[in-house]
Amino acid sequence: MPSDPNIVLSCEGIHRFLGEEENSVHVLKDISLQLHAQRVYSITGPSGCGKSTLLYLLGLLDRPDSGTIWISGQEVAEFDDSELSLFRNQEIGFVFQFHFLFKEFSALENVQLPMLRAGILSRAEMDDRAAYLLEQVGLGDKLHRNAHHLSGGEQQRVAIARALANDPRLLLADEPTGNLDTANSHRVFDVLQHITRETHLALLIVTHNSQIARASDQVLSMEDGRLLE
């Protein structure tokens, strides 16, 4: 187990196969990495090299065939599905290419959804927390606007605020600017970068955007299921 409290995530010897028997494909091959708090990491590589598969494994949406994963100092291999779900909701935030907001819900209500699931905060506390997060992403004046009345860039920023709802230590983003124009792509990445710098979390982004990769603290290049040195 990593002894450095600044290490948010550590994994060693991760392998993942997809398919059965003779049709099995070795998708991830001996992946080991560490992610530190307050740092932005980008994963780059050609389509089909295993980037998204790795992100989903590290986000506990899938399990490796072998290898170990520690998040916030806890080794997660022995967690059952309900424990994984609870841990994921508390420790990990996700931002996807498609924001997956509830269109008829307000920005405030969308951000509150992970808090409702956690069941820790009171209604007043959830209101305050959601409003604070939306202020952080530049939407403090649009708390009660329904999602379908927001622009694409604004909806993605609501999705970022929602990912931060339960104060996670790990933020995972899968092509978070893939559906945005250049100006909104820069704005969304600036928000992600600022939040990472100002909090205790680590940010891992899968991206094909070379500008985002260059602006990250570290670029992790993948090819054929492996991280390149």
Side-chain angles (χ1 to χ4, degrees), residues 136-173:
Q136 291 295 103
V137 300
L139 295 174
D141 59 339
K142 297 180 179 179
L143 304 183
H144 302 292
R145 186 166 297 184
N146 282 5
H148 69 274
H149 289 144
L150 298 172
S151 70
E154 289 170 340
Q155 290 182 49
Q156 192 64 306
R157 282 186 278 154
V158 173
I160 292 170
R162 181 185 58 191
L164 299 167
N166 291 329
D167 195 22
R169 292 216 63 205
L170 176 64
L171 187 59
L172 302 175

Side-chain angles (χ1 to χ4, degrees), residues 122-139:
S122 68
R123 170 59 68 179
E125 289 170 329
M126 287 191 290
D127 286 344
D128 288 345
R129 173 74 177 160
Y132 167 76
L133 290 171
L134 286 166
E135 182 70 36
Q136 291 295 103
V137 300
L139 295 174

Side-chain angles (χ1 to χ4, degrees), residues 4 20 22 36 48 56 62 75 88 121 217 220 227-228:
D4 184 350
E20 300 293 330
E22 68 272 7
H36 290 74
Y56 278 61
D62 192 13
E75 205 280 303
R88 187 169 55 238
L121 302 180
D217 296 308
L220 307 171
L227 284 177
L228 304 179

Side-chain angles (χ1 to χ4, degrees), residues 10-149:
S10 178
C11 69
E12 294 181 4
I14 296 296
H15 290 265
R16 185 70 174 103
F17 297 84
L18 296 179
E20 300 293 330
E21 297 178 356
E22 68 272 7
N23 295 320
S24 178
V25 178
H26 198 176
V27 180
L28 296 177
K29 304 169 184 176
D30 196 25
I31 300 288
S32 298
L33 60 85
Q34 290 185 338
L35 305 180
H36 290 74
Q38 298 181 306
R39 290 182 64 82
V40 178
Y41 301 83
S42 288
I43 303 180
T44 64
S47 297
C49 70
K51 301 186 303 295
S52 292
T53 301
L54 176 60
L55 199 75
Y56 278 61
L57 277 176
L58 299 181
L60 311 183
L61 296 170
D62 192 13
R63 295 179 185 262
D65 291 290
S66 61
T68 54
I69 300 172
W70 292 269
I71 298 175
S72 298
Q74 297 193 60
E75 205 280 303
V76 300
E78 301 304 318
F79 287 6
D80 63 27
D81 288 345
S82 61
E83 290 171 328
L84 273 181
S85 179
L86 179 62
F87 186 82
R88 187 169 55 238
N89 190 50
Q90 293 174 337
E91 297 290 336
I92 304 172
F94 295 91
V95 183
F96 298 100
Q97 180 174 350
F98 301 97
H99 41 72
F100 299 118
L101 300 182
F102 285 90
K103 302 265 186 187
E104 300 302 321
F105 284 23
S106 69
L108 196 78
E109 290 167 333
N110 270 286
V111 175
Q112 289 174 336
L113 290 173
M115 304 181 215
L116 286 166
R117 188 176 179 211
I120 296 172
L121 302 180
S122 68
R123 170 59 68 179
E125 289 170 329
M126 287 191 290
D127 286 344
D128 288 345
R129 173 74 177 160
Y132 167 76
L133 290 171
L134 286 166
E135 182 70 36
Q136 291 295 103
V137 300
L139 295 174
D141 59 339
K142 297 180 179 179
L143 304 183
H144 302 292
R145 186 166 297 184
N146 282 5
H148 69 274
H149 289 144

